[in-house]
Amino acid sequence: MKNSSNLSGIESQSTGKARISKENLEKAVDQLNAISPEDYAKIQGMVAVVRRDFRSILHKTPDDYGMTNWEDIYFQADDGVPLNGWYIPAKGGESDKLIIFNHALPMCRAGFQGHLGEPWSNFEAVEIDFVIQMKHLTDAGYNVLAYDIRNHGQSGSANNNVCGIGLLEWRDCVGVKKYVDNHPRLGKMKVALFSQCMGGCSQYVAIDKRPDLFQNVLCMASPLVPSMGSIYQAFTELLGVSQYLELLDLELVKAGGFTRAEMDPKLYTKNIKMPLLMWQVKEDAWVKNPEDAQATFDKIPSKEKELHWIEGTTHRFRDGYNYFGRTPEKVLAFFDKHMKQAETKSSKAGTLVSEN
């Protein structure tokens, strides 16, 4: 890759506050000129994580678990991108409690199909089942709205098919909340959020930018939310290319994405005030945990929050994303506490009004 790039034609170089500082840009170009084709392919493979070159499919629907009266829905993100989803009423009939379900990357509302082979198995050859998680929620009396984030599943393409790990997808979180608020039935329901990984990063940015829109959210489950700097640090170490992190930033920007530092959920936590439950894989092979998750958790100002560690595994996909599907008790207890607590308070308030 020698002499493949230079900075001699740039009249004004970037400052220390730029997306890529002058110093880091110079390092990136030096790395590009020195890197081997084999290692450059590894860097491009990591850039491909945010390029949406393939999509997860709806390999399951609510019918697979006997959920009834569900329907396909569609609406727009805040910037007009068309989004597709499901609305699934609670078992036995629609309740007054709604959970908005935001999925992870590279998944869709149904989950992930690594068990079906390539291209999905290139991440990990496992199935991640989000539909069973929706079954747990509807069985417990919650209506569920699950949708595909842009460039995922059946939702629209946008931003040159690049994922911003929340920096673009927050507009989808705003769009779904506006859809709920403006709906004649859903707008009257108590609302909670289930926002995981990239969907959680997106939710954090949405709450940061539009705190007014999420003031009525009663609680949020926020599993497996990472900083991309941590993920890329772990992956470059695994692949033996951690000396090329500045080049990775440059290639991410060239692809239309964001730098590692920009894709950090800790930058967007200041308005997260609702009760929060987070779970993380403590020895995650793909994230620099426990330090990354702990740092994000510590930055969240919610007065009532809990971080649950999944131990005895290094598998983020197999054991992290399937945690709720396999062991729903803790998560359901969290939602029950805060959704039903609000119901009790509302009932008491109504009693006082009638007595007066």
Side-chain angles (χ1 to χ4, degrees):
M1 304 295 292
K2 187 177 180 181
N3 298 323
S4 60
S5 183
N6 67 77
L7 298 176
S8 60
I10 299 178
E11 293 182 4
S12 299
Q13 293 195 25
S14 57
T15 67
K17 293 184 179 181
R19 297 184 65 195
I20 302 180
S21 69
K22 177 179 181 292
E23 178 184 5
N24 284 348
L25 183 58
E26 290 173 347
K27 287 181 180 179
V29 171
D30 288 342
Q31 291 165 12
L32 178 62
N33 290 334
I35 195 170
S36 69
E38 294 79 14
D39 284 347
Y40 186 68
K42 294 176 183 178
I43 293 296
Q44 287 300 322
M46 283 180 280
V47 174
V49 171
V50 299
R51 288 199 196 103
R52 303 308 308 128
D53 293 333
F54 72 91
R55 295 189 178 211
S56 290
I57 59 173
L58 302 185
H59 71 299
K60 289 185 174 178
T61 76
D63 286 334
D64 285 272
Y65 291 104
M67 289 179 270
T68 59
N69 299 320
W70 63 276
E71 57 187 288
D72 292 309
I73 58 172
Y74 55 92
F75 49 93
Q76 289 187 337
D78 201 41
D79 59 356
V81 176
L83 305 175
N84 287 267
W86 296 321
Y87 172 66
I88 316 169
K91 183 178 180 180
E94 187 173 83
S95 72
D96 65 343
K97 296 179 284 293
L98 176 70
I99 294 178
I100 299 173
F101 197 99
N102 294 321
H103 65 78
L105 176 152
M107 302 160 203
C108 66
R109 70 189 111 136
F112 180 75
Q113 310 80 43
H115 61 304
L116 297 183
E118 294 183 355
W120 309 287
S121 59
N122 293 331
F123 277 80
E124 190 168 354
V126 297
E127 179 187 15
I128 297 168
D129 187 352
F130 291 156
V131 185
I132 187 62
Q133 300 179 15
M134 299 168 200
K135 170 69 170 171
H136 293 326
L137 293 169
T138 56
D139 281 354
Y142 299 100
N143 313 313
V144 173
L145 193 162
Y147 70 102
D148 297 325
I149 291 173
R150 66 184 60 203
N151 300 319
H152 293 75
Q154 294 182 334
S155 284
S157 298
N159 314 111
N160 199 30
N161 290 320
V162 169
C163 178
I165 316 295
L167 299 180
L168 300 167
E169 298 77 13
W170 67 270
R171 304 164 189 173
D172 304 352
C173 296
V174 168
V176 69
K177 186 59 165 57
K178 286 183 174 180
Y179 172 78
V180 167
D181 289 351
N182 293 323
H183 193 278
R185 299 193 326 277
L186 306 186
K188 298 175 183 177
M189 295 177 183
K190 303 175 186 69
V191 176
L193 303 172
F194 190 111
S195 301
Q196 54 192 323
C197 191
M198 179 268 296
C201 294
S202 307
Q203 192 67 69
Y204 289 13
V205 180
I207 294 171
D208 183 69
K209 292 181 177 293
R210 289 294 311 272
D212 58 304
L213 198 61
F214 297 94
Q215 283 183 348
N216 67 335
V217 171
L218 296 177
C219 59
M220 175 167 61
S222 179
L224 300 160
V225 171
S227 66
M228 288 305 290
S230 175
I231 285 182
Y232 280 132
Q233 183 68 48
F235 267 89
T236 55
E237 290 176 8
L238 285 170
L239 295 173
V241 290
S242 58
Q243 68 271 37
Y244 299 118
L245 286 170
E246 290 80 12
L247 175 57
L248 174 59
D249 275 340
L250 177 59
E251 296 297 332
L252 286 165
V253 171
K254 285 163 62 177
F258 299 89
T259 66
R260 292 169 294 132
E262 289 173 312
M263 295 184 288
D264 188 341
K266 294 189 293 296
L267 301 173
Y268 305 99
T269 58
K270 68 179 182 295
N271 289 318
I272 301 175
K273 307 292 178 64
M274 70 283 287
L276 178 135
L277 174 64
M278 177 183 289
W279 57 95
Q280 297 272 358
V281 177
K282 191 170 187 178
E283 298 178 351
D284 195 329
W286 291 1
V287 181
K288 301 296 286 185
N289 272 349
E291 54 268 34
D292 181 60
Q294 189 68 58
T296 298
F297 180 77
D298 290 344
K299 284 285 289 185
I300 294 171
S302 299
K303 292 181 179 178
E304 186 172 348
K305 60 181 182 177
E306 179 183 355
L307 171 54
H308 173 73
W309 292 113
I310 301 169
E311 301 191 57
T313 180
T314 62
H315 289 270
R316 180 180 186 84
F317 271 42
R318 186 190 71 193
D319 299 318
Y321 293 112
N322 283 317
Y323 167 76
F324 176 42
R326 296 170 181 166
T327 54
E329 295 80 13
K330 186 178 188 67
V331 182
L332 291 178
F334 169 77
F335 283 125
D336 287 349
K337 176 182 178 181
H338 297 289
M339 301 291 271
K340 292 180 179 177
Q341 186 180 72
E343 191 173 53
T344 301
K345 288 179 179 178
S346 176
S347 176
K348 287 181 178 178
T351 301
L352 289 172
V353 169
S354 64
E355 288 177 351
N356 292 329

